[in-house]
Amino acid sequence: MERAYAPWVPITGARPLPMDDDYAARCESGQAFALEQDGALAGLIVLVDFPTHLWIDNVAVEPALKGQGLGRALMGFAETEARRRGLPELRLLTNALMAANIALYTRLGFIETERRTEKGRARVYMAKRLQPSG
């Protein structure tokens, strides 16, 4: 999903870490989930189980397909997966300079839990408590 993250390079001054992730290993471990449209990769989400939450490590949509609700669909999938796995919360982080991402996650019900600098990057941690299904 190199193209999905490329617009952030000039904003953050660095390659977002998902650009260099090992997606073959993520697929092999069952952490990566692809969204296809017309037989082509349209989006991707990487989910990691923790004892108390489901971590959204990466969510990306093919830039030409933005605005079609695919990112929201992937985030909805993450909620469904968390509930299916019996986990009451979703968590993620984004770069503090990615204001559009922070705004989207806030609209989806995430709240900011912490800001800190790690690996030379200003990070915003966010979480969303899930209502029990049923």
Side-chain angles (χ1 to χ4, degrees):
M1 298 299 322
E2 179 99 5
R3 287 185 302 276
Y5 283 96
W8 294 111
V9 173
I11 293 168
T12 64
R15 286 173 59 86
L17 295 176
M19 292 177 82
D20 298 316
D21 202 354
D22 183 349
Y23 290 101
R26 295 287 196 175
C27 289
E28 190 173 303
S29 69
Q31 295 178 332
F33 300 86
L35 178 62
E36 291 185 4
Q37 191 174 72
D38 300 324
L41 181 63
L44 169 84
I45 193 163
V46 175
L47 303 174
V48 181
D49 279 313
F50 283 87
T52 60
H53 63 277
L54 186 61
W55 180 259
I56 300 171
D57 194 71
N58 176 7
V59 61
V61 172
E62 180 62 40
L65 302 175
K66 287 198 182 268
Q68 297 182 19
L70 301 179
R72 285 182 183 269
L74 288 165
M75 295 299 283
F77 173 77
E79 284 192 33
T80 299
E81 276 298 294
R83 285 188 180 96
R84 186 184 70 76
R85 299 174 191 196
L87 298 169
E89 187 173 65
L90 292 172
R91 294 185 191 172
L92 57 80
L93 70 81
T94 191
N95 190 298
L97 296 174
M98 296 179 175
N101 287 358
I102 295 167
L104 171 63
Y105 299 141
T106 300
R107 285 192 305 274
L108 293 175
F110 284 79
I111 60 166
E112 185 177 321
T113 59
E114 182 178 2
R115 285 184 183 238
R116 66 177 180 236
T117 301
E118 297 172 319
K119 300 179 184 178
R121 298 166 192 257
R123 294 180 164 175
V124 177
Y125 286 80
M126 302 183 84
K128 180 178 180 176
R129 294 288 303 170
L130 301 176
Q131 299 298 321
S133 60

